Amino acid sequence: MSAQTSPAEKGLNPGLLCQESYACSGADEAVFECDECCSLQCPRCEEELHRQERLRDHERLRLRAGHVPYCDLCKGPNGHSPGVRQRAAVRCQACKINLCLECQRRTHSGGNKRRHPVTVYLVSKVQDSLEAEEMDEETKRKKMTEKVVSFLLVDENEEIQVTNEEDFIRKLDCKPDQHLKVVSIFGNTGDGKSHTLNHTFFYGREVFKTSPAQESCTVGVWAAYDPVHKVAVIDTEGLLGATVNLSQRTRLLLKVLAISDLVIYRTHADRLHNDLFKFLGDASEAYLKHFTKELKATTARCGLDVPLSTLGPAVIIFHETVHTQLLGSDHPSEVPEKLIQDRFRKLGRFPEAFSSIHYKGTRTYNPPTDFSGLRRALEQQLENNTTRSPRHPGVIFKALKALSDRFSGEIPDDQMAHSSFFPDEYFTCSSLCLSCGVGCKNSMNHGKEGVPHEAKSRCRYSHQYDNRVYTCKACYERGKEVSVVPKTSASTDSPWMGLAKYAWSGYVIECPNCGVVYRSRQYWFGNQDPVDTVVRTEIVHVWPGSDGFLKDNNNAAQRLLDGMNFMAQSVSELSLGPTKAVTSWLTDQIAPAYWRPNSQILSCNKCATSFKENDTKHHCRACGEGFCDSCSSKTRPVPERGWGPAPVRVCDNCYEAGSSHPDVAEAQADDEGGTLIARKVGEAVQNTLGAVVTAMDIPLGRGKEGVLH
């Protein structure tokens, strides 16, 4: 019978047995090492333990010949220098921890612990070669990050400090066709965000500036390229700091979050504060409300090959404690992520925008902080391209530029809200309705895209702004909403004829579909308001810089002077002919029905003299025939003769007939009933038209000012 080969002869340590005893008795040979469980495990224990949801993502390593586990207490060589961790020399069977020689002397050299049984690990040549390979790999990575420097990407005033894509790629020091992701960090001021990035990505080199001073050393947004993980690392200004323009700087954080693929929220509090959950909850709501639409528009507008994901980044909450246990330590059956979701729900915040939220904690008994767990979690998330895929640096710059152009500008102090980290006022238009004071609900700078102002609520009427608009009632009943505006004349009227009609019949309301639907003085009396008959009224918002409503005809003096100005120019250009045409038309409109129209009177009814173009025609108020100037003098056929209170002009034939003449009686009745008033108004208008021609050198601007005031 041959002798049994010992574990030492096989190159194995005799003490590498299962250290969990979860599914075995502890006598089975260890095959796996779980760094997060801090134990060696047999296949059965490894499988049973990591079926649990909270342990499922633990990173396990299959043991090789001569394997020696890490020391559980120290975090690096000599217990103070981060980097490659120290290998254990012994395992304390009573404490169930692995210890290097330094930690064994420090923790087990006195008291009862001196008598604890230990198992000594044998360091073989195989293990020495494995450590040498690890050192070589670490050395290569460190060498790749030696020349990395950070640069200011966006200053505290939200202004981008790189001119274009080429400048961004040059300062980032990467290839233009390199696919990369973006990792950013958030947290309160003084929690060590820059320090965390330096040790997680750049092996402790001070790529991002750190300082022991009370003042924040990170102002604005800084960026650097990690060539090892191929990510753009972004450092941000801390929350709750003593800064000016707090609202703008808070808004800047959300722009950075929108372009990030992975976000680290760094907290050094012994217990997770509500500020963390409120920040992430408000950021999620603002992202979905304001940034999702803009990212889609940027993809379409810039023609990007890689679409910008409208689902937000993944979040890792990196929680470092000193005196308290990590989240979930007192609830072994629940994963930390579930406890975090419960906290969100209790605060009424729902981080739906983020693709995932993970918790990574570390308890620092003795400095320095252990960032290895955070690094492994980051690497695992960076390998996941399900939601956010890597993209060219030019795409990242375009997205940041688009968000900066859209959401920029000062935030008035009276619009600053303190109940939320990201209130709507940070991202919406700052214009307020002059009538009701309601703000515009559209995004900032929406006017550049031709999008008008909009409000969530209806406006109220203000006499100062007369913010009413009219829509045709007939069209509305047919399912169409057609806006109409009171005008001086209809679209079918010539300018001077329209002005004459306006002087007689008032303004008109014309619908493109129905034609003229209303005249303000269509009848001598009893004219109804258009709102009661032909139009609907709607009250609209008055935005700064907008034109007035019903502007064309809302001011009578404005309408009259503008119309007279246009009329004067027309009369001046077309000479006297149009004036006579208007005068003749007005006379016919005012005259009784039995009068012969001016256009039909070609010669004087008394002397048969033919009328010339500019001759004045006089009517007999009884028979309605026309007479020339010579025949209408006081001693001629059409003098002013009177019966009763209203003297009229009649010809000799009608006068001789006396008051019994039926035409004379009708003329008297018309004058007493108000026709004389209309005639006098018509004569005044005619005189006005004539005066316009001779008074062209009077400045209309001065006339308008006098009438308006």
Side-chain angles (χ1 to χ4, degrees), residues 278-432:
K278 290 180 179 179
F279 174 85
L280 293 177
D282 293 342
S284 171
E285 182 180 357
Y287 183 91
L288 292 175
K289 191 171 185 179
H290 302 288
F291 281 63
T292 299
K293 180 180 177 181
E294 184 59 28
L295 290 173
K296 288 181 179 178
T298 302
T299 301
R301 185 168 57 248
C302 301
L304 303 179
D305 296 333
V306 180
L308 298 171
S309 175
T310 55
L311 188 62
V315 177
I316 295 179
I317 299 175
F318 181 54
H319 183 203
E320 180 182 4
T321 67
V322 177
H323 306 291
T324 57
Q325 296 179 339
L326 299 177
L327 185 66
S329 298
D330 51 346
H331 298 84
S333 60
E334 296 184 358
V335 294
E337 285 74 11
K338 185 178 183 303
L339 299 176
I340 289 176
Q341 292 295 337
D342 292 341
R343 285 285 297 274
F344 275 117
R345 187 168 56 256
K346 289 178 181 178
L347 292 172
R349 300 298 202 275
F350 304 96
E352 300 171 352
F354 303 118
S355 56
S356 61
I357 297 180
H358 303 274
Y359 175 85
K360 180 57 61 178
T362 181
R363 185 172 180 180
T364 304
Y365 293 95
N366 298 296
T369 305
D370 180 15
F371 295 104
S372 59
L374 175 62
R375 187 184 299 112
R376 286 193 299 271
L378 285 169
E379 290 172 349
Q380 182 179 357
Q381 291 299 319
L382 290 172
E383 291 175 359
N384 183 6
N385 297 326
T386 305
T387 304
R388 313 275 291 203
S389 58
R391 56 220 189 264
H392 295 150
V395 175
I396 298 172
F397 176 80
K398 287 179 180 178
L400 179 61
K401 184 72 166 60
L403 295 177
S404 296
D405 291 343
R406 169 50 65 91
F407 304 108
S408 60
E410 295 184 1
I411 302 173
D413 292 339
D414 57 352
Q415 295 187 29
M416 291 172 57
H418 303 286
S419 60
S420 171
F421 276 97
F422 301 101
D424 289 345
E425 289 80 2
Y426 289 8
F427 308 100
T428 54
C429 178
S430 59
S431 297
L432 300 177

Side-chain angles (χ1 to χ4, degrees), residues 34 42 141 157 161 246 374 402 407 423 463 651 684:
C34 180
C42 67
R141 292 187 174 188
N157 296 319
Q161 299 301 299
L246 178 61
L374 175 62
F407 304 108
H463 178 73
C651 64

Side-chain angles (χ1 to χ4, degrees), residues 124-156:
S124 64
K125 294 182 179 180
V126 177
Q127 182 64 35
D128 289 340
S129 64
L130 291 175
E131 290 187 358
E133 289 179 6
E134 286 185 7
M135 288 296 294
D136 290 342
E137 184 66 25
E138 291 295 317
T139 303
K140 291 178 183 178
R141 292 187 174 188
K142 286 182 181 179
K143 198 171 186 65
M144 293 173 66
T145 61
E146 285 180 354
K147 296 182 180 180
V148 175
V149 293
S150 61
F151 63 94
L152 181 62
L153 180 58
V154 185
D155 66 9
E156 66 273 18

Side-chain angles (χ1 to χ4, degrees), residues 7 12-19 30 40 91 93 119-122:
L12 300 174
N13 279 301
L16 293 185
L17 301 177
C18 180
Q19 299 171 353
L40 303 177
R91 177 175 180 81
Q93 299 295 345
T119 301
V120 179
Y121 291 115
L122 301 176

